Amino acid sequence: MAGTPIQSAGRRFIRKFGVSFAWALLFSGVLGGAVFFRVPRAANGETLTWHAEVRQWLERLELVTYDWRARALGDASQRSDDVVLLALDDETLANAREGNDLSLSVRPWPREVLGGLMQQALKEGATQVLLDLPLTDTSPRQCGGKGDLFSADDEALRRRLDQEPGKMMLGFKVLERAPRSADRELKPFLLKVGEHPNEADARENVRRVLAARAPAHLVPKGQGFELWAAAFSEARARDLAQALELRGSPVIRPENADDRRYEVDAQWLVEALAEVEVEGADALKLPVLRGVEAPVPAALSAQALLGTTNLERDPDGRVRAVPLLWKSTSSGRTRVLPSAALRAAMRSLGVTKVVVRDGRLQLGKVSVPVDWEGYLAVRWDTAEVGRGPRGTLKRSVPLWRLAVNMSDAGGVKHHDNELEGRVAILTDASGAALPTPVGDVQPGAVLAQAFNNLLAGTAVERVPPELDFYAVVAMAFAGAFVAVSLSSLFRRAGGLSMAFVLVAVCVAYGFIARQVFVSQGRWVVVAAPLLAFGFTYLASLGYATALERTVREMMGRALGRALPTEIAARLESNVSLMRPERRAIAVYISDIDGFTRLAHELEPETYVSVLQEYLARMTRAVLDTKGNVDKYLGDGVMAFWGAPVHLENPAAVACEAALQMGTQFEKRRVAWEKRCHKPMAFRAGLDFGEALVGEMGTEHRMTYTVMGEPVATAARLESLARKWDVRMLVTEAVVDAAGEKYTFREIDVVRLPRREKPVKVYELVGRSADLDAPRLERLQKYGAALGAYQARRFKEARHLFMAMNEDEAIKRYVARAAKYEEKPPPESWDGVFEPAEA
């Protein structure tokens, strides 16, 4: 049958429908893979492979939609006043130049002054102060002291930090690329500074050695460590011993090759002081630092907090996320360093340990989402930045106002800076701002916004890449589905309807993604799904239009016009439902007793008119219950349920259709009998089981039909119904499948051709809910009598049936019971009353 029209139509359908979904697979594979395998941030600025370039290009498009949503979320938010920016801005410098203290009129400001300003902020009620200024070089304003080995200005800042333990923080930058190593100065002599039981105990002395600009070596000895300072001569080593105020005679020895393995520098010290405990850090692919722009050791204090101030840009140059954690392995062990925003939040929340679990970073009872690299996607508190350096914060304070309050020896507070209960960030606000989704924001203000997110437990959560992938796949296949489903509409309405649907779907998806972003703070991918939908939609549309036309032609030939609208629509969208297959279906065959003989007695017009009216009513009952009229058998109807479209319970639906057909027949029976001048009786058979169903025929004629045992059984039951003078007979399979919604009366046990075992047949009485009490009582009595008959209590059964003598079935059982009273059946009797014995 390969050359039959219906088969070639099926091949055309499969080819065109398959091409549409092939486009969907292609675009969902390419674009879905691009969003699933995200380009690490560390790759920004590096030479990328072509597929990484594609992924980064797609990410740039996605970031455009992200910014639109971020502004919408900011518009629905309120600025926080938990953080105040202490801005070293142009106004502050201008006021300093007009004042008496010339040391403040130029930058950098003395570090002792910076420490004093931090203390002043604490005096005015700030809970903690972050110094977001570089301290990488020795203060240019240092004063001599202790052989000029120490910077007095840096030491003054450190003393200020020591006076406020845990309330001041120094920010520092980390380097993602290793700095160029400078040539090491030859210092072949080592001065013993002291012995320490552990590294933590040695940190202060390491700091002092490094502050004296001498290399430090922390050499393991037993369970502890020895600290040695390197010098280029013995004389310099003795001067160093005096500067470090070592007691006793200095111990000096030559440096050996192993000593360099234990050299510790400012990076080691910063990492040791800044390290925080993080549970679950292994679950993240944290950025690895290769170096640090460490504050000068002279300014470092174990009493001060330390945090990174790095702000990483996305591929388009904008800042949207802040790295919260950095990993270091430079000291031979893994350390995790916090960002300044995270460290400040830990201090405010009173926690000392960070827990990473299920994509969230937990700070005690507060948790925020982080991405797979430990970045916090900032949730901006406004759609537009404010004037001045405050950015998305509620306000900023010029540092000059704080300096005026600090300089008054009488303690007079000239400016109320409203710092009570707030975190203050002292930052240089005169430099270039960073581009963000809501405008240009000063780096200190970005850190402040990240701190607000951490404190409130609110941030933007990017959904896992798996969900982004599924969104792309769904939209790609939606494009194919929409193109195929609406091809007929597009053909009638023209190109504008195609463009309208494309725009409408894209707008709807974008709106949903925006609402999810604003209401839940969840970032669902937008650019890739829209591209997948658009490409698949446009590529599939030409194929889908031809496909829809082919399907209609095929159904017109195979199923004719007797087809429910809903089923027709489903077949148009899925022509594979018409392929031959084995399926459990309900088959119905009906007939009108003696109506065929009337063809020779009635006028042709009368006969055809009655027949058409009868078939129309029967067909409507079939279509209303989602069935299919297979064929008209003269005055008979063959119909089936459960194919080509699946029904949950074909047997129950078929019973409902049969009852409706019986009702329709009774409504018109009297009128038809008058026109035909003959009594009319309606008989039907119904079976449920597996059958072969699908398109069958030749190139001259194709039809969608059913073949198999249920067809033969339904025909046999229709014939038996006439014999038993009942309207509808069904098999036990129908009874079992239809359930308790319908009531049945067991009629007989019969032996059917090609059936190994006898088959019980039942009369479909009606809907259980419609039966009145007397009818139910008669059915119960009938059941009791039949039970006695089947239990071989034939005398009892005969008397029970005789008490109910009301229809042909009961009359037959009275006769059967009487016969078996005289001559009981053999012990092997299976309940079948052979037709010859009836």
Side-chain angles (χ1 to χ4, degrees):
M1 298 179 64
T4 61
I6 204 70
Q7 290 294 329
S8 61
R11 285 200 301 271
R12 289 196 304 270
F13 172 79
I14 294 172
R15 182 173 65 251
K16 294 173 182 178
F17 194 78
V19 166
S20 296
F21 280 85
W23 283 117
L25 286 173
L26 173 64
F27 292 125
S28 62
V30 173
L31 297 173
V35 299
F36 183 82
F37 299 102
R38 297 170 181 169
V39 179
R41 286 185 169 86
N44 289 345
E46 296 183 352
T47 301
L48 302 176
T49 59
W50 69 268
H51 51 83
E53 289 280 5
V54 171
R55 286 181 281 154
Q56 195 167 84
W57 172 81
L58 193 61
E59 183 71 3
R60 288 173 182 267
L61 289 181
E62 177 63 24
L63 293 177
V64 173
T65 71
Y66 176 91
D67 292 349
W68 163 63
R69 289 174 280 175
R71 288 189 292 271
L73 178 57
D75 195 46
S77 305
Q78 293 184 345
R79 295 177 188 263
S80 172
D81 198 24
D82 291 333
V83 185
V84 178
L85 216 61
L86 304 179
L88 180 54
D89 52 8
D90 294 334
E91 176 187 349
T92 296
L93 294 176
N95 287 328
R97 294 187 189 101
E98 295 175 2
N100 297 326
D101 191 348
L102 296 179
S103 64
L104 302 183
S105 62
V106 295
R107 288 179 292 180
W109 280 14
R111 289 174 183 173
E112 182 176 10
V113 173
L114 294 177
L117 290 171
M118 296 172 73
Q119 281 189 319
Q120 180 64 31
L122 293 173
K123 289 178 183 179
E124 295 187 21
T127 57
Q128 54 180 313
V129 183
L130 164 63
L131 180 60
D132 182 26
L133 292 173
L135 303 175
T136 54
D137 298 318
T138 302
S139 171
R141 304 187 181 213
Q142 70 173 359
C143 301
K146 295 186 180 180
D148 291 330
L149 292 179
F150 297 94
S151 166
D153 193 26
D154 292 323
E155 288 285 339
L157 172 59
R158 182 186 60 79
R159 286 193 295 273
R160 298 266 191 180
L161 298 176
D162 286 342
Q163 292 170 9
E164 304 289 348
K167 296 182 179 181
M168 296 185 183
M169 185 189 308
L170 300 181
F172 64 94
K173 300 284 187 184
V174 304
L175 303 174
E176 295 186 71
R177 293 173 177 81
R180 294 181 60 183
S181 57
D183 293 335
R184 187 178 185 275
E185 186 179 357
L186 182 61
K187 292 187 177 182
F189 295 95
L190 295 182
L191 168 69
K192 185 175 182 179
V193 179
E195 296 185 1
H196 302 277
N198 51 57
E199 288 186 356
D201 186 70
R203 289 173 187 167
E204 175 56 23
N205 276 342
V206 170
R207 185 199 68 78
R208 294 178 68 238
V209 171
L210 296 176
R213 293 183 285 264
H217 298 262
L218 196 59
V219 181
K221 182 181 179 182
Q223 297 297 319
F225 297 90
E226 289 182 342
L227 177 61
W228 298 80
F232 63 82
S233 66
E234 290 190 38
R236 186 62 176 173
R238 292 190 181 92
D239 293 339
L240 184 59
Q242 182 179 1
L244 294 174
E245 299 178 347
L246 299 182
R247 297 179 181 179
S249 177
V251 178
I252 301 172
R253 66 172 176 84
E255 183 186 53
N256 58 51
D258 290 338
D259 290 328
R260 292 193 180 184
R261 294 169 48 200
Y262 304 110
E263 183 175 352
V264 292
D265 54 10
Q267 177 176 339
W268 177 91
L269 183 59
V270 167
E271 291 180 5
L273 294 174
E275 179 184 13
V276 294
E277 182 182 358
V278 180
E279 179 184 325
D282 293 340
L284 302 176
K285 190 175 180 60
L286 297 179
V288 178
L289 63 88
R290 306 300 180 185
V292 300
E293 294 180 353
V296 292
L300 291 174
S301 169
Q303 302 302 320
L305 304 177
L306 289 170
T308 66
T309 57
N310 291 62
L311 297 174
E312 303 297 315
R313 296 177 184 242
D314 285 325
D316 62 352
R318 291 189 174 184
V319 174
R320 298 177 179 85
V322 174
L324 296 183
L325 299 168
W326 293 83
K327 182 169 67 174
S328 172
T329 57
S330 60
S331 60
R333 52 172 290 193
T334 299
R335 300 180 189 268
V336 180
L337 310 185
S339 71
L342 175 59
R343 195 67 187 88
M346 294 174 64
R347 167 70 169 73
S348 295
L349 296 172
V351 299
T352 58
K353 178 181 178 180
V354 176
V355 178
V356 178
R357 184 179 296 120
D358 299 329
R360 300 188 70 86
L361 186 143
Q362 298 180 357
L363 302 174
K365 296 182 179 180
V366 177
S367 72
V368 292
V370 292
D371 68 11
W372 62 293
E373 295 178 285
Y375 279 67
L376 173 84
V378 177
R379 176 171 177 161
W380 308 98
D381 288 339
T382 181
E384 296 181 0
V385 298
R387 291 185 298 176
R390 65 172 177 152
T392 59
L393 303 180
K394 193 169 186 178
R395 61 194 177 91
S396 63
V397 175
L399 199 54
W400 177 251
R401 294 162 59 97
L402 207 66
V404 171
N405 289 349
M406 182 183 70
S407 63
D408 195 303
V412 178
K413 190 176 182 181
H414 297 274
H415 300 284
D416 184 5
N417 297 311
E418 299 182 29
L419 300 180
E420 186 69 34
R422 296 173 174 84
V423 173
I425 298 180
L426 197 159
T427 186
D428 186 354
S430 61
L434 296 172
T436 72
V438 296
D440 293 341
V441 180
Q442 290 291 333
V446 177
L447 288 174
Q449 181 66 76
F451 168 79
N452 282 333
N453 290 168
L454 288 166
L455 209 60
T458 57
V460 175
E461 179 182 4
R462 187 164 194 178
V463 301
E466 294 87 352
L467 292 183
D468 282 348
F469 176 79
Y470 295 148
V472 172
V473 173
M475 289 296 287
F477 280 89
F481 177 78
V482 170
V484 171
S485 301
L486 301 183
S487 59
S488 59
L489 171 65
F490 296 152
R491 188 181 63 257
R492 293 191 299 268
L496 287 179
S497 63
M498 302 178 190
F500 174 79
V501 170
L502 176 62
V503 173
V505 171
C506 292
V507 169
Y509 182 89
F511 177 77
I512 293 173
R514 177 186 180 275
Q515 291 303 109
V516 170
F517 194 95
V518 173
S519 62
Q520 303 178 21
R522 290 171 64 83
W523 174 8
V524 180
V525 67
V526 168
L530 294 187
L531 289 175
F533 178 86
F535 290 158
T536 306
Y537 174 82
L538 295 175
S540 302
L541 201 53
Y543 293 98
T545 303
L547 164 68
E548 188 271 341
R549 185 185 304 113
T550 302
V551 171
R552 286 199 316 275
E553 294 173 355
M554 178 188 65
M555 290 194 306
R557 292 195 306 269
L559 295 173
R561 289 179 290 178
L563 185 66
T565 303
E566 179 181 349
I567 293 179
R570 294 179 67 178
L571 287 176
E572 286 186 19
S573 64
N574 187 5
V575 74
S576 65
L577 293 173
M578 298 184 66
R579 294 174 181 170
E581 62 177 325
R582 295 192 182 278
R583 185 182 290 190
I585 61 172
V587 179
Y588 168 93
I589 295 179
S590 68
D591 186 40
I592 301 177
D593 278 353
F595 192 78
T596 302
R597 293 192 302 271
L598 294 178
H600 302 286
E601 302 174 9
L602 298 177
E603 291 295 327
E605 293 81 0
T606 302
Y607 183 86
V608 172
S609 175
V610 173
L611 180 62
Q612 287 180 338
E613 185 178 351
Y614 163 75
L615 293 177
R617 290 175 176 269
M618 301 301 106
T619 300
R620 176 48 52 192
V622 173
L623 299 183
D624 287 345
T625 52
K626 302 179 182 180
N628 298 279
V629 175
D630 183 89
K631 59 178 66 74
Y632 297 130
L633 306 169
D635 59 304
V637 176
M638 176 177 172
F640 58 91
W641 290 260
V645 176
H646 173 75
L647 296 177
E648 184 175 349
N649 192 336
V653 176
C655 288
E656 180 62 30
L659 292 175
Q660 291 183 19
M661 284 187 271
T663 301
Q664 291 295 324
F665 181 83
E666 286 300 321
K667 283 182 179 180
R668 296 294 300 162
R669 180 176 61 82
V670 175
W672 290 338
E673 288 178 346
K674 288 181 178 179
R675 294 173 63 184
C676 296
H677 310 294
K678 294 286 185 180
M680 300 177 68
F682 171 75
R683 315 292 184 188
L686 176 64
D687 189 21
F688 175 67
E690 187 177 85
L692 177 64
V693 62
E695 297 170 326
M696 303 179 195
T698 69
E699 60 182 2
H700 302 292
R701 183 179 179 183
M702 298 293 297
T703 184
Y704 187 87
T705 188
V706 58
M707 298 177 62
E709 197 62 37
V711 178
T713 301
R716 177 64 174 163
L717 292 181
E718 184 271 326
S719 177
L720 287 175
R722 184 180 302 107
K723 173 182 175 181
W724 285 87
D725 193 25
V726 295
R727 175 171 293 169
M728 166 69 66
L729 283 183
V730 303
T731 60
E732 190 171 17
V734 174
V735 176
D736 293 340
E740 298 180 356
K741 185 177 179 180
Y742 301 94
T743 298
F744 302 89
R745 181 177 69 154
E746 183 177 343
I747 292 296
D748 198 5
V749 179
V750 298
R751 209 180 311 279
L752 298 178
R754 297 187 301 275
R755 293 286 186 104
E756 295 181 1
K757 296 181 179 180
V759 177
K760 287 185 178 181
V761 295
Y762 297 78
E763 178 191 8
L764 173 59
V765 177
R767 303 175 190 88
S768 300
D770 295 342
L771 299 182
D772 55 19
R775 185 71 181 276
L776 290 174
E777 183 180 356
R778 288 196 297 272
L779 289 174
Q780 291 175 353
K781 291 180 179 179
Y782 177 86
L786 184 63
Y789 174 83
Q790 293 174 342
R792 305 172 65 93
R793 301 194 304 273
F794 299 113
K795 183 177 181 180
E796 177 187 347
R798 180 170 60 83
H799 288 291
L800 290 175
F801 279 123
M802 290 177 63
M804 304 167 52
N805 193 8
E806 58 184 33
D807 61 18
E808 181 65 25
I810 292 176
K811 293 177 182 178
R812 282 178 173 271
Y813 273 111
V814 169
R816 287 184 180 183
K819 183 172 183 179
Y820 280 145
E821 275 187 80
E822 297 177 4
K823 184 180 179 181
E827 292 299 326
S828 60
W829 181 56
D830 55 10
V832 175
F833 190 86
E834 299 298 338
E837 301 173 19

